[in-house]
Amino acid sequence: GAMWRGAAAGLLCLAAACLLRRGFEPRARLLSAAELRRYRGAPGQPGLYLALLGQVFDVERGRKHYGPGGAYSGLAGRDATRAFASGDFTPAGLVDNVSGLSPPELLSIHSWLSFYSHNYEPVGKLVGRFYDENGAPTEALREVEAAIEEALKLQAESEQEKQQFPPCNSEWSSAKGTRFWCSRQSGGVHRAWAGVPRQLFSPGAQRSRCVCVRSSGPPWGQPGSSRHSDTGDLQHPHLQQYRGCHPLAEQCVLPA
């Protein structure tokens, strides 16, 4: 009788626990927007969830931030992906529409997604903009992911450019004008050379900016080439000298 039934229930329960541990059930859970709205952490509600790019996370551990009255309570119970990029916590900003975001904003979404993946339990997917009713990624999600991929590539290129062309130090005074100079750690890039100031014109940028340029050795990225003019990157096509400054001076003053 009853004892046997209890034992059988116990066995079933164990099997379910195994399934849960293997991550089958909770990851496959699909929530509608209406279901997700019930998870805002208020008394009598089943829990505290938020979604980012359609991925739903249990943020109960961060209740003081996301629960009622918390600074980020607006993010709870919905997918407010756009707010993670824009910082706009008004109803207009608390939406999942990510069209027209800039590369830095996309990178912000990317880093928040990795933050939640590392710190909170994923519980499922939100059916809507980013996942269809079978939990498969939508075209919208693929587009965002491709845009994030592109933003990551741009970021890597600009990091690379910063190593090649570190920003100058600069100071301005109404009496003297602007002084640019290079040091071995200007622009926060610690290196073995100081370089000389040049204007760098990046394709697509409105204005030039002052960078420090290596003035001896082979050009950047060609350490092994023996046939070079030993002028570092000074021949780079996007660079221009400052008028009235000695081409190899480590500092340059532009009158006010």
Side-chain angles (χ1 to χ4, degrees), residues 75 80-89 93-95:
L75 300 171
T81 297
R82 196 176 189 90
F84 287 93
S86 66
D88 175 3
F89 288 90
L94 292 168
V95 294

Side-chain angles (χ1 to χ4, degrees), residues 192-217:
W193 48 277
V196 296
R198 285 288 186 277
Q199 289 170 280
L200 175 67
F201 293 86
S202 297
Q206 300 300 309
R207 300 203 313 269
S208 71
R209 52 203 172 86
C210 181
V211 296
C212 295
V213 181
R214 246 176 353 106
S215 53
S216 64

Side-chain angles (χ1 to χ4, degrees), residues 214-219 225-235 248:
R214 246 176 353 106
S215 53
S216 64
S225 76
S226 51
R227 297 177 54 194
H228 59 79
S229 54
D230 195 32
T231 55
D233 286 313
L234 290 179
Q235 312 297 325
L248 293 178

Side-chain angles (χ1 to χ4, degrees), residues 12 16 22 73 87 93-94 127 137 227 229 238:
L12 275 174
R22 279 161 63 189
S73 60
L94 292 168
V127 175
R227 297 177 54 194
S229 54
H238 296 155

Side-chain angles (χ1 to χ4, degrees), residues 167-190:
C168 305
N169 297 310
S170 67
E171 64 181 16
W172 179 86
S173 79
S174 54
K176 293 201 188 88
T178 308
R179 176 168 84 98
F180 296 115
W181 75 102
C182 291
S183 62
R184 291 183 172 203
Q185 60 263 356
S186 63
V189 180
H190 295 263

